[in-house]
Amino acid sequence: METKRFYQQRLDEWVEESRKQAYKGRVAEYIPGLAAAPQHALGIALWGTDGQFFQSGDTDLHFTMQSISKVFSLLLALMDSGEKSVFQKVGMEPTGDDFNSILKLELVDPGKPFNPFINAGAIVIASLIQGDGPDEKSERLLQFIRHLAHDNRLDYNEAVYESERETAHRNRSIAYYLKDNGVLEDDVEETLEVYFRQCSIVVNCKQLAHMALVLASDGVDPVTKQQVIPRRYVQIAKSFMVTCGMYNASGEFAIEVGLPAKSGVSGGILSVVPGKWGIGIIGPALNSKGNSVAGVQLLRHLSQDWDWSIF
Amino acid sequence: METKRFYQQRLDEWVEESRKQAYKGRVAEYIPGLAAAPQHALGIALWGTDGQFFQSGDTDLHFTMQSISKVFSLLLALMDSGEKSVFQKVGMEPTGDDFNSILKLELVDPGKPFNPFINAGAIVIASLIQGDGPDEKSERLLQFIRHLAHDNRLDYNEAVYESERETAHRNRSIAYYLKDNGVLEDDVEETLEVYFRQCSIVVNCKQLAHMALVLASDGVDPVTKQQVIPRRYVQIAKSFMVTCGMYNASGEFAIEVGLPAKSGVSGGILSVVPGKWGIGIIGPALNSKGNSVAGVQLLRHLSQDWDWSIF
Amino acid sequence: METKRFYQQRLDEWVEESRKQAYKGRVAEYIPGLAAAPQHALGIALWGTDGQFFQSGDTDLHFTMQSISKVFSLLLALMDSGEKSVFQKVGMEPTGDDFNSILKLELVDPGKPFNPFINAGAIVIASLIQGDGPDEKSERLLQFIRHLAHDNRLDYNEAVYESERETAHRNRSIAYYLKDNGVLEDDVEETLEVYFRQCSIVVNCKQLAHMALVLASDGVDPVTKQQVIPRRYVQIAKSFMVTCGMYNASGEFAIEVGLPAKSGVSGGILSVVPGKWGIGIIGPALNSKGNSVAGVQLLRHLSQDWDWSIF
Amino acid sequence: METKRFYQQRLDEWVEESRKQAYKGRVAEYIPGLAAAPQHALGIALWGTDGQFFQSGDTDLHFTMQSISKVFSLLLALMDSGEKSVFQKVGMEPTGDDFNSILKLELVDPGKPFNPFINAGAIVIASLIQGDGPDEKSERLLQFIRHLAHDNRLDYNEAVYESERETAHRNRSIAYYLKDNGVLEDDVEETLEVYFRQCSIVVNCKQLAHMALVLASDGVDPVTKQQVIPRRYVQIAKSFMVTCGMYNASGEFAIEVGLPAKSGVSGGILSVVPGKWGIGIIGPALNSKGNSVAGVQLLRHLSQDWDWSIF
């Protein structure tokens, strides 16, 4: 009989095994707030829909959500504006291009972002969150994320926010292109403010796992048993997490791991074993596609060992 | 209590409801063998892993497998050459481009096809099937497909094969590009022969449903209980069917239907409700992305009504 | 013997003949200041290096220089910073893409503009003009253009300037992309201010012809006999005018007309018959490539009739 | 007073000076017939319209015409089919892409080659030469080139022809793409046979200079005084030589040298000083753009020293 101790032991082993891969990756260096992250850190937390909790490795390491926040801005935009409004502005297809590519905005009519997880899409999504100005929009998204994480202390890393805002010329370029295409209707700088704010929210992997747990439970808060996100929107989010969640290594991740997931440039990964586990991971060293080297390796081991793939 | 009769009645209703959408699409016309298909036909067959069988609409209509065959050439190539060899030559990512696009072969190093379901990928896969020359390769794939369909009478539509061979200049262009990139090692014309042959295999949707049933059963033949395809390869196939199976409407299909599926230009769709149903559909009128208009509509209704989405 | 009267008569005939083509084109409408231009206007002025002067048609019509100003910002940047500095930041090749395309900035390393006449290139060039801030840069360019036009009254159309500044999201997108690529070092908004200012300088075709005359004279002011632009820089400018001066119809223009020329979206064309004539044209109705329909037709007639092609 | 001896001495100096650059380049190696060329060879011949003749360096080195032949296939196609027919099938614009790029055939409607000097364009041009089958077409082009070179011994390098035919998968890919686009009407293999044949014609730089002399004389054979090519077609050829003759370094060449020219992968360059000189050059070591390193350097020196630029 496999007991909790057995699982913990296996988890610890996989963490140490996977951590060895970190030397193959590189910590993102484009802003100081990211460059300072420890190359060989690796941490994982798992919240079960049945109340179980596991953790291993560097689970107290704090990091910014970065692109992981795109899952939650999408969900909030869907809850705020509905499916129809959202998909008038953003498509549903993976691109095969880099997350910050501008090619398809020029090449493919009508020049709307292919999906909400590339930067172009996430910028448009940020504009679809309801609120009177960027502060209110940001505040609403922060509250939503705090709620899912069950932690009201979650806040921004102001230094990261400032750095992003100062250096994000590519995102500005994308946003003005979207404005020119008529896809982005709001003010560019105000929209980017919301976007940079969401990227700079600080979490650890335990908090991430709790957010993931709500998705694993089809939108039901496992403590209060309330439906905090409509199940249909969770379904949409999980679909995107499979087809576009791991940048342009999403197809490979579907084959190797087979779980809905979303990664960020800080090395975080949020993943979902539907009906079972909410997972949060941090491993700052990234592979060439922008995903945590050790984190992906750890998920591969766990998924194959514990037969988690949805395929 | 929902009985078999109830299900049959609902199925018939959905078929007639969905058939109305066929006028919005266009039957493929690039070769005579496709252009002759009836615009408003719609048929569906479902084989259950528990032995149940349902059918409705034009289930006796015969059509060529076209791109649906890519699922089975991939499976046979994996069984013949193994995962590693296959993925040295073909990638795992959706492209966001048209199925017959050549752009990424020029733009993205090292110029190998992004996945096995775009034409470039399927052509390389055809070259990875074992056999002494195109005839033996084709024969082996035909036998494999007959085996999965439980019908030894399956054969080629020679007229379609000949038309494809004569008019497929774009596929020839792709194949020579792959040859130039060093990705395709075999002779171009011989490889294309295998590819055109597989596309011209004639099925009806009942046979398609039976093939799908094997995938729904993780590679186990439901009659003989034999593992005819290793489970891992079925997993790979289903992953690709989700991320790239419906051309560049795969993302939308994941959100709207949420099932592994592969479509063909003849209007056929093979789909899988994992653990439950193998589905075959025919509906010749295509939407702008190349998928059966009525077929996709029918799957959308069924998936939402019977809660089939894997997400 | 052909006399001045004979030439004048021919010129008048060609103007009226070419004016008929204007109905085939469309006046640019993206800002009010352009949309108001008279569709069927056509005017031409020619200054000879020997002091002759011809004019015909609507030569008093005022219009903004738009892209024609790119010739003079390039010349001033070369005079300010030298060949080497300029070509470290901007390439020398035609693109085959639209003037406001962003594709090659992403696709072709190192992401610098292909030439100084596409928008990306002209924006970088604007940053290479010497001056303490955008006002001084703009002032220096205005003075340079006034000097070449022999008219100190030349000034900006403030309404056009303001409209451009408000609506030019695509140019902003390009500028931020260049900033991200490290090609544009100056502040984006300040650089764009210089760029929008130069586009909004108001001229008529007589003034344009005088500027062209200096180029036809290899940089020598025909009145003062002073070398106001080094001959080498004039050579560079004329080369670009042949390879990239007429947007992506430059190759066709080289074959049909065979003269260095630069067009603008206001319908102006500045052209040079080396050693002989400086030409200014206005014809607001544009063809699909963005060049004056009647203006190009007129130059075709004149070049073929009077054997002007440099080829 | 500058005498012939003086010129010869300068020419010899420039040749030796330029030859030193050859180490920076690489001889083309994709077929044995090219790879065997001597890295440091450099030769130049100049025929004057006044009957003068100069030569220096390795003027007896034989090499295949390769892309230089595109000038003459264009001229013959124009003489055979007229301007209108030719430009229905091939455009007039430089591309900014590699000579063997396929991108714009997919991206830019209607998918016809941008100009006759990229491979796609030259393949279509080969199909527009009149003749009953590839042998007759090839024979007519060979006779045309022999006539211009004033040398009936010019012939094919059969080994190079065979190598090209066997390895030219990229050109086959392009040709089939053109066939699919409906731009190439003839049989692909027959058209490629004409194209590979023309590329394999062997010349030395004296013969090249004589061909160039006819272009420098606006189509008049300087010996017989006959108009062997209509002046208009020479004008067209020279225009293309300026805008697209040196692959995607044509813009730079226009600025640095300023002469109509066409290069080939064997290291040959044919250039024209209009009204004055026909120039043939061989220097097998190529720069990254595919042009003879030493050859371009030599032309730069000569053009600047003797003030040859047409700009």
Side-chain angles (χ1 to χ4, degrees):
Chain A
M1 193 191 78
E2 291 197 329
T3 64
K4 175 149 189 178
R5 184 174 303 169
F6 172 81
Y7 279 118
Q8 183 66 49
Q9 197 176 325
R10 291 288 283 169
L11 190 63
D12 292 343
E13 282 167 21
W14 285 131
V15 166
E16 291 320 306
E17 175 73 20
S18 304
R19 190 196 294 277
K20 293 175 192 161
Q21 304 298 315
Y23 77 94
K24 291 184 184 165
R26 294 190 56 175
V27 171
E29 288 174 341
Y30 69 96
I31 56 170
L34 292 174
Q39 163 104 18
H40 287 85
L42 181 62
I44 183 170
L46 299 98
W47 271 105
T49 50
D50 57 0
Q52 290 193 75
F53 177 74
F54 289 93
Q55 60 175 310
S56 183
D58 305 302
T59 52
D60 289 323
L61 186 64
H62 283 83
F63 53 95
T64 48
M65 288 185 75
Q66 300 293 342
S67 289
I68 300 174
S69 67
K70 293 171 181 174
V71 176
F72 301 100
S73 60
L74 169 65
L75 286 166
L76 189 55
L78 283 167
M79 291 162 71
D80 279 358
S81 306
E83 245 179 276
K84 204 177 150 190
S85 295
V86 167
F87 293 122
Q88 269 173 350
K89 296 289 188 185
V90 183
M92 302 180 177
E93 301 304 322
T95 68
D97 303 323
D98 289 342
F99 65 96
N100 62 1
S101 175
I102 208 162
L103 297 180
K104 285 196 167 53
L105 294 185
E106 179 167 337
L107 289 176
V108 185
D109 269 334
K112 73 179 194 185
F114 261 46
N115 68 64
F117 287 176
I118 52 172
N119 286 14
I123 290 167
V124 173
I125 291 293
S127 79
L128 299 177
I129 294 172
Q130 301 297 318
D132 190 11
D135 287 351
E136 191 178 321
K137 287 168 191 244
S138 293
E139 180 63 21
R140 292 190 61 244
L141 182 53
L142 179 63
Q143 291 300 351
F144 180 57
I145 287 175
R146 283 176 172 171
H147 187 56
L148 298 175
H150 265 227
D151 194 330
N152 278 321
R153 295 165 305 175
L154 254 60
D155 218 329
Y156 308 114
N157 180 326
E158 288 293 332
V160 165
Y161 167 72
E162 289 297 340
S163 303
E164 298 270 12
R165 207 165 61 111
E166 276 160 34
T167 62
H169 304 307
R170 179 72 83 97
N171 284 327
R172 255 183 203 91
S173 175
I174 291 170
Y176 278 111
Y177 209 104
L178 291 164
K179 186 89 180 166
D180 191 58
N181 283 3
V183 179
L184 179 61
E185 291 177 13
D186 281 12
D187 178 79
V188 163
E189 286 301 330
E190 289 191 8
T191 303
L192 288 174
E193 200 178 319
V194 178
Y195 178 65
F196 298 144
R197 278 255 164 249
Q198 73 182 65
C199 289
S200 76
I201 295 174
V202 179
V203 292
N204 60 29
C205 59
K206 291 175 283 187
Q207 294 159 333
L208 220 48
H210 205 281
M211 297 180 216
L213 177 60
V214 182
L215 305 184
S217 312
D218 288 330
V220 175
D221 184 306
V223 178
T224 65
K225 306 298 177 197
Q226 276 190 310
Q227 188 84 34
V228 292
I229 311 168
R231 190 186 156 208
R232 170 66 184 148
Y233 298 155
V234 174
Q235 204 172 47
I236 290 172
K238 287 189 295 180
S239 300
F240 279 125
M241 290 166 81
V242 165
T243 56
C244 333
M246 301 296 280
Y247 302 115
N248 47 1
S250 300
E252 184 179 351
F253 190 86
I255 286 173
E256 299 294 332
V257 179
L259 294 176
K262 183 73 206 83
S263 58
V265 76
S266 51
I269 303 176
L270 173 149
S271 190
V272 172
V273 186
K276 295 185 187 151
W277 297 102
I279 302 174
I281 287 180
I282 178 64
L286 307 178
N287 61 25
S288 64
K289 299 297 187 80
N291 298 314
S292 168
V293 174
V296 169
Q297 180 71 356
L298 177 55
L299 277 170
R300 186 186 287 119
H301 284 313
L302 293 175
S303 175
Q304 287 170 11
D305 205 20
W306 296 343
D307 199 16
W308 278 347
S309 171
I310 65 169
F311 297 110
Chain B
M1 193 190 76
E2 289 197 332
T3 63
K4 175 148 186 174
R5 185 174 302 170
F6 173 81
Y7 279 118
Q8 181 65 49
Q9 198 177 324
R10 292 288 282 169
L11 189 63
D12 293 341
E13 282 167 20
W14 286 132
V15 166
E16 291 321 305
E17 175 74 20
S18 304
R19 190 197 295 276
K20 294 176 192 158
Q21 304 297 315
Y23 78 93
K24 290 184 186 166
R26 292 191 56 175
V27 171
E29 288 174 341
Y30 69 96
I31 55 170
L34 292 174
Q39 164 102 17
H40 286 86
L42 180 62
I44 182 170
L46 300 99
W47 271 106
T49 51
D50 57 0
Q52 289 194 76
F53 176 75
F54 288 93
Q55 60 175 311
S56 184
D58 305 301
T59 52
D60 289 322
L61 186 64
H62 284 82
F63 53 94
T64 48
M65 290 185 73
Q66 299 295 340
S67 290
I68 300 174
S69 68
K70 293 170 180 174
V71 176
F72 301 99
S73 60
L74 169 64
L75 286 167
L76 188 55
L78 284 166
M79 291 163 72
D80 279 358
S81 306
E83 247 179 275
K84 204 177 149 189
S85 295
V86 166
F87 293 123
Q88 269 173 350
K89 297 288 186 184
V90 183
M92 300 179 178
E93 300 306 322
T95 69
D97 302 323
D98 289 341
F99 64 95
N100 62 0
S101 174
I102 209 161
L103 297 179
K104 286 195 166 52
L105 295 184
E106 180 166 335
L107 289 175
V108 185
D109 270 333
K112 73 179 193 187
F114 262 44
N115 68 64
F117 287 176
I118 52 172
N119 286 13
I123 289 168
V124 172
I125 291 293
S127 79
L128 298 176
I129 294 173
Q130 300 297 316
D132 190 11
D135 287 351
E136 192 178 320
K137 287 169 190 242
S138 292
E139 180 63 22
R140 291 189 62 244
L141 183 53
L142 180 63
Q143 291 300 348
F144 180 57
I145 287 175
R146 283 176 172 172
H147 188 57
L148 297 174
H150 266 226
D151 194 330
N152 278 320
R153 294 166 306 177
L154 254 62
D155 218 329
Y156 308 115
N157 180 326
E158 288 294 331
V160 165
Y161 168 71
E162 288 298 339
S163 303
E164 298 270 12
R165 207 164 60 112
E166 276 161 35
T167 60
H169 304 308
R170 180 70 86 97
N171 283 325
R172 254 182 204 91
S173 175
I174 290 171
Y176 278 110
Y177 209 105
L178 291 165
K179 185 88 182 169
D180 191 58
N181 283 3
V183 179
L184 178 61
E185 293 177 12
D186 282 11
D187 178 79
V188 163
E189 286 300 331
E190 289 191 9
T191 304
L192 288 175
E193 200 178 318
V194 178
Y195 177 66
F196 297 144
R197 279 253 164 253
Q198 73 183 62
C199 289
S200 76
I201 295 174
V202 180
V203 291
N204 60 30
C205 60
K206 291 175 282 186
Q207 294 159 334
L208 220 50
H210 205 280
M211 298 180 215
L213 177 60
V214 182
L215 305 184
S217 311
D218 288 332
V220 175
D221 183 307
V223 178
T224 66
K225 306 299 177 197
Q226 276 190 311
Q227 187 86 35
V228 292
I229 310 167
R231 190 188 157 206
R232 170 65 183 147
Y233 297 156
V234 174
Q235 205 171 47
I236 290 172
K238 286 189 295 180
S239 301
F240 279 125
M241 289 166 81
V242 165
T243 57
C244 335
M246 301 297 280
Y247 303 114
N248 45 2
S250 299
E252 183 180 351
F253 189 86
I255 286 172
E256 298 295 332
V257 179
L259 294 177
K262 183 74 205 80
S263 59
V265 76
S266 51
I269 303 175
L270 175 149
S271 189
V272 172
V273 186
K276 295 188 187 148
W277 296 103
I279 302 174
I281 287 180
I282 178 65
L286 308 178
N287 61 25
S288 65
K289 299 297 187 80
N291 298 314
S292 169
V293 174
V296 169
Q297 179 73 355
L298 177 56
L299 278 170
R300 186 185 288 119
H301 285 314
L302 292 175
S303 175
Q304 287 171 9
D305 204 21
W306 296 343
D307 200 15
W308 278 347
S309 171
I310 65 169
F311 298 109
Chain C
M1 195 191 75
E2 292 196 332
T3 64
K4 175 149 186 176
R5 184 175 303 171
F6 172 81
Y7 279 118
Q8 183 66 50
Q9 197 176 326
R10 292 288 282 169
L11 189 62
D12 293 342
E13 283 166 20
W14 286 133
V15 166
E16 290 320 306
E17 175 74 20
S18 304
R19 189 197 296 274
K20 294 176 192 160
Q21 303 299 314
Y23 78 93
K24 291 184 186 168
R26 292 190 56 175
V27 172
E29 288 174 342
Y30 69 96
I31 55 170
L34 292 174
Q39 163 102 18
H40 286 86
L42 180 62
I44 183 170
L46 300 98
W47 272 105
T49 51
D50 58 0
Q52 289 193 76
F53 177 75
F54 288 93
Q55 60 175 311
S56 184
D58 305 300
T59 52
D60 289 323
L61 186 63
H62 283 82
F63 53 95
T64 48
M65 289 186 75
Q66 300 293 343
S67 289
I68 300 173
S69 68
K70 294 171 180 174
V71 176
F72 302 99
S73 59
L74 169 65
L75 286 166
L76 188 56
L78 284 166
M79 291 163 72
D80 278 358
S81 306
E83 244 178 279
K84 204 177 150 189
S85 295
V86 167
F87 292 122
Q88 268 172 349
K89 297 289 187 185
V90 183
M92 302 179 177
E93 302 305 322
T95 69
D97 302 323
D98 289 342
F99 65 95
N100 62 1
S101 175
I102 208 162
L103 297 180
K104 285 195 166 55
L105 294 185
E106 179 167 336
L107 289 176
V108 185
D109 269 334
K112 73 180 194 186
F114 261 46
N115 68 65
F117 287 175
I118 52 172
N119 286 14
I123 289 167
V124 173
I125 290 294
S127 80
L128 299 176
I129 294 173
Q130 300 298 317
D132 191 11
D135 286 351
E136 191 177 321
K137 288 169 190 242
S138 292
E139 180 63 23
R140 291 190 60 244
L141 182 54
L142 180 63
Q143 291 300 348
F144 180 57
I145 287 174
R146 282 176 172 170
H147 187 55
L148 298 175
H150 266 226
D151 194 332
N152 278 322
R153 296 165 304 176
L154 254 59
D155 218 329
Y156 308 114
N157 179 325
E158 288 294 331
V160 165
Y161 168 72
E162 289 298 339
S163 303
E164 298 269 12
R165 207 164 61 112
E166 276 160 36
T167 62
H169 304 306
R170 180 71 85 95
N171 284 326
R172 254 182 204 94
S173 176
I174 291 170
Y176 277 110
Y177 209 105
L178 291 165
K179 187 86 182 170
D180 191 59
N181 283 2
V183 179
L184 178 63
E185 292 177 14
D186 281 12
D187 178 79
V188 163
E189 286 299 332
E190 289 190 8
T191 304
L192 288 174
E193 199 178 318
V194 178
Y195 177 65
F196 298 143
R197 279 255 165 251
Q198 74 183 61
C199 289
S200 76
I201 296 173
V202 180
V203 291
N204 61 29
C205 60
K206 291 176 281 187
Q207 293 159 333
L208 220 49
H210 205 280
M211 298 180 215
L213 176 62
V214 182
L215 305 184
S217 312
D218 288 332
V220 175
D221 184 307
V223 177
T224 64
K225 306 297 176 199
Q226 277 190 309
Q227 188 85 35
V228 291
I229 310 167
R231 188 188 157 206
R232 171 64 184 148
Y233 297 155
V234 175
Q235 204 172 47
I236 290 173
K238 286 189 296 180
S239 300
F240 279 124
M241 290 166 81
V242 165
T243 57
C244 333
M246 301 297 279
Y247 303 115
N248 46 0
S250 300
E252 184 179 350
F253 190 86
I255 286 173
E256 300 294 332
V257 179
L259 295 176
K262 184 74 204 81
S263 59
V265 76
S266 52
I269 303 175
L270 173 149
S271 189
V272 172
V273 187
K276 297 188 187 149
W277 298 101
I279 302 174
I281 288 179
I282 179 64
L286 308 178
N287 61 25
S288 65
K289 299 296 186 83
N291 297 314
S292 168
V293 175
V296 169
Q297 180 71 357
L298 177 57
L299 277 170
R300 186 186 289 119
H301 284 314
L302 293 175
S303 175
Q304 286 170 12
D305 204 22
W306 295 343
D307 199 16
W308 278 347
S309 172
I310 65 169
F311 297 109
Chain D
M1 193 191 78
E2 291 195 333
T3 63
K4 174 148 188 175
R5 185 174 303 171
F6 172 80
Y7 279 117
Q8 181 66 49
Q9 198 177 324
R10 292 288 282 169
L11 189 62
D12 293 342
E13 282 167 20
W14 286 132
V15 166
E16 291 321 306
E17 176 74 19
S18 304
R19 190 196 295 276
K20 293 175 192 160
Q21 304 298 315
Y23 78 94
K24 291 184 186 167
R26 292 191 58 175
V27 171
E29 288 175 342
Y30 68 96
I31 56 169
L34 292 174
Q39 164 104 18
H40 286 86
L42 181 61
I44 183 171
L46 300 99
W47 272 104
T49 50
D50 58 359
Q52 288 193 77
F53 177 74
F54 288 93
Q55 61 175 309
S56 184
D58 305 302
T59 51
D60 289 323
L61 186 65
H62 284 82
F63 52 95
T64 47
M65 290 184 74
Q66 299 295 341
S67 290
I68 300 173
S69 67
K70 293 171 180 173
V71 176
F72 302 100
S73 59
L74 169 64
L75 287 166
L76 188 55
L78 284 166
M79 292 162 72
D80 279 358
S81 307
E83 244 179 276
K84 203 178 152 190
S85 294
V86 166
F87 292 122
Q88 268 173 351
K89 296 287 186 185
V90 184
M92 302 179 176
E93 299 306 322
T95 70
D97 303 322
D98 289 342
F99 64 96
N100 61 2
S101 175
I102 207 161
L103 297 179
K104 285 196 167 57
L105 294 185
E106 181 167 336
L107 289 175
V108 185
D109 269 334
K112 72 179 195 186
F114 262 46
N115 68 65
F117 287 175
I118 52 171
N119 287 13
I123 289 168
V124 172
I125 291 294
S127 79
L128 298 176
I129 293 173
Q130 300 297 317
D132 190 10
D135 286 352
E136 191 177 320
K137 288 168 189 242
S138 293
E139 180 63 21
R140 291 189 61 243
L141 182 53
L142 180 63
Q143 291 300 350
F144 179 58
I145 288 175
R146 281 177 172 170
H147 187 57
L148 298 174
H150 265 228
D151 194 329
N152 277 321
R153 294 165 307 176
L154 253 61
D155 217 330
Y156 308 115
N157 180 326
E158 288 293 331
V160 165
Y161 167 71
E162 289 298 337
S163 303
E164 299 269 13
R165 206 165 60 113
E166 276 160 34
T167 61
H169 304 307
R170 179 71 85 96
N171 283 326
R172 254 183 203 91
S173 176
I174 291 171
Y176 278 110
Y177 209 105
L178 291 165
K179 185 87 182 169
D180 191 58
N181 282 3
V183 178
L184 179 61
E185 292 177 13
D186 283 11
D187 177 80
V188 164
E189 286 301 330
E190 288 191 8
T191 304
L192 288 174
E193 200 179 317
V194 178
Y195 177 65
F196 298 144
R197 279 255 163 251
Q198 74 182 62
C199 288
S200 76
I201 295 173
V202 180
V203 291
N204 61 29
C205 61
K206 291 176 283 187
Q207 293 159 333
L208 220 49
H210 204 280
M211 297 180 216
L213 176 60
V214 182
L215 304 184
S217 312
D218 287 332
V220 174
D221 183 309
V223 178
T224 65
K225 307 298 177 198
Q226 277 190 310
Q227 188 85 34
V228 291
I229 310 168
R231 189 187 157 208
R232 170 65 182 146
Y233 297 155
V234 174
Q235 204 172 47
I236 291 172
K238 287 189 295 180
S239 301
F240 279 124
M241 290 166 81
V242 166
T243 56
C244 332
M246 301 298 279
Y247 303 114
N248 45 0
S250 300
E252 184 179 352
F253 189 87
I255 287 172
E256 298 295 331
V257 180
L259 294 177
K262 183 75 205 79
S263 59
V265 75
S266 52
I269 302 174
L270 174 150
S271 190
V272 173
V273 187
K276 295 186 186 151
W277 296 102
I279 301 175
I281 287 180
I282 177 66
L286 308 178
N287 61 25
S288 65
K289 300 295 187 81
N291 297 315
S292 169
V293 175
V296 169
Q297 180 71 355
L298 177 56
L299 278 170
R300 186 185 288 118
H301 284 314
L302 293 175
S303 175
Q304 287 170 11
D305 204 21
W306 295 343
D307 200 15
W308 279 348
S309 170
I310 65 169
F311 297 110

